[in-house]
Amino acid sequence: LALAFPLPGAFLYLHTKNLLVVLLFALVGCSIKLKSFKDGLRALHIHIFCQGFNLVALPFLYYALFYQSGFDSKLLGTSVFSKGILISLCMPMPSTTGVIFTELAGGDVSVAVINAALGNILGPVVAPVTIGLLIADESFQNSLGNKAITLACRIIIPLVGGIISRHLVSQRSEALERKLKSGSSLLLKGLLLLLFYMLFCEGIKKTPMEIPMVLIIRVLLWITCVHILAFLTIWAVSGALGIDIQRRIAVAIMGSQKTEGKAFAIISVLFHGSSDLGMIMLPVIAYHSIQMLVSGIVAKQLRRISSNHVKLPGQRLS
């Protein structure tokens, strides 16, 4: 659709992007239930490990192993896609798909739910700092202070407002809270679809060149290798730390996955006006699609492993 009609989307992006980002994170806040965090306090060390790997260790490991030396740029034949992959690894974990795959794999769903909520809160704060530290772009780093203020106004404040709104509604009526959750979920899906279209249109307008199919295949294969390596790393480390199997499954799935929708909103603020916007977005989309494919393949194997162990009390809590 963006290839066929780029101009309407680019026009909407120019005039409505800021409002849509604010509304997007207000709706994300409405999906977070404060009561769920009480159950998470019992496994606080698990959540710290999962968030630490996802938001800090994973992007820094990729930077140290592949980005700094230029290995990925040489492999892919372009530095723009390698930059996009690094940026995608700085993003928080997804809200929904990770929880679904944790359930399918027989993991501890309560751990997945709480980490999904934590990722929504921590991601908009940690991701810009990590990108600023890892990307050696002087103009980006010099404007990071202004971008932080913009992020606070357009992302963090609406997010906190949405969380508080849901909490206040839940104190009044559970039925009203369910309506708020279902309504905000429906609006969020529609808003993400519109935002995807707008961002693609803006990227196509700024990058009016055809990408060779060989390069696309190379990027997809490399991102697949990166995601599998991330999954195997957190699986091995969580096992070495003695985390029980159900929680280990949840941590491995959630800790290695990255959001797509919220990443687009964060990127649109951080890289507003960048000529590389379209190229940066493509690895984000590819990583999200590949992680779902990989999770779907390994879910049955993980469930078989999980079924051989005693399940935790409250595993089905969600």
Side-chain angles (χ1 to χ4, degrees), residues 28 60 214 232 236:
V28 169
F60 274 89
V214 175
L232 292 176

Side-chain angles (χ1 to χ4, degrees), residues 46-47 49-50 53-54 93 97-113 115 227 230-240 242-257 291 294-312 315-316:
I46 302 290
H47 309 315
F49 169 67
C50 188
F53 182 88
N54 185 264
M93 59 188 63
T97 54
V99 177
I100 292 170
F101 283 115
T102 299
E103 170 69 25
L104 292 174
D108 190 334
V109 179
S110 64
V111 169
V113 170
N115 274 282
H227 175 64
F231 179 86
L232 292 176
T233 301
I234 192 170
W235 176 260
V237 174
S238 58
I243 297 174
D244 59 78
I245 192 65
Q246 279 81 23
R247 286 175 175 172
R248 187 181 176 190
I249 290 170
V251 166
I253 291 174
M254 296 300 294
S256 61
Q257 293 197 357
Q291 73 188 16
V294 172
S295 296
I297 293 171
V298 302
K300 289 183 179 179
Q301 302 299 325
L302 292 175
R303 192 169 191 88
R304 190 176 295 115
I305 295 171
S306 176
S307 63
N308 295 327
H309 294 75
V310 178
K311 294 182 179 179
L312 293 173
Q315 182 190 347
R316 298 295 173 184

Side-chain angles (χ1 to χ4, degrees), residues 219-221 223-225 227 285-295:
V219 170
L220 292 175
L221 289 174
I223 291 175
T224 303
C225 293
H227 175 64
I285 302 164
Y287 193 97
H288 187 268
S289 302
I290 287 167
Q291 73 188 16
M292 290 195 294
L293 179 63
V294 172
S295 296

Side-chain angles (χ1 to χ4, degrees), residues 83-100:
K83 179 180 176 182
I85 294 170
L86 179 60
I87 290 169
S88 69
L89 293 175
C90 294
M91 294 299 139
M93 59 188 63
S95 300
T96 307
T97 54
V99 177
I100 292 170

Side-chain angles (χ1 to χ4, degrees), residues 129-192:
V129 177
T130 308
I131 292 170
L133 289 172
L134 296 181
I135 294 179
D137 187 331
E138 189 175 346
S139 62
F140 179 86
Q141 291 176 346
N142 290 338
S143 62
L144 191 58
N146 293 330
K147 292 179 186 294
I149 296 171
T150 304
L151 281 166
C153 295
R154 296 181 189 171
I155 294 179
I156 298 171
I157 293 174
L159 179 67
V160 173
I163 295 171
I164 294 172
S165 298
R166 167 135 186 207
H167 179 65
L168 294 175
V169 168
S170 67
Q171 289 184 324
R172 282 195 168 192
S173 167
E174 289 186 5
L176 193 60
E177 183 190 13
R178 285 194 295 270
K179 289 181 180 179
L180 175 65
K181 181 183 177 182
S182 59
S184 61
S185 176
L186 185 63
L187 283 173
L188 184 60
K189 291 175 182 177
L191 202 58
L192 284 172

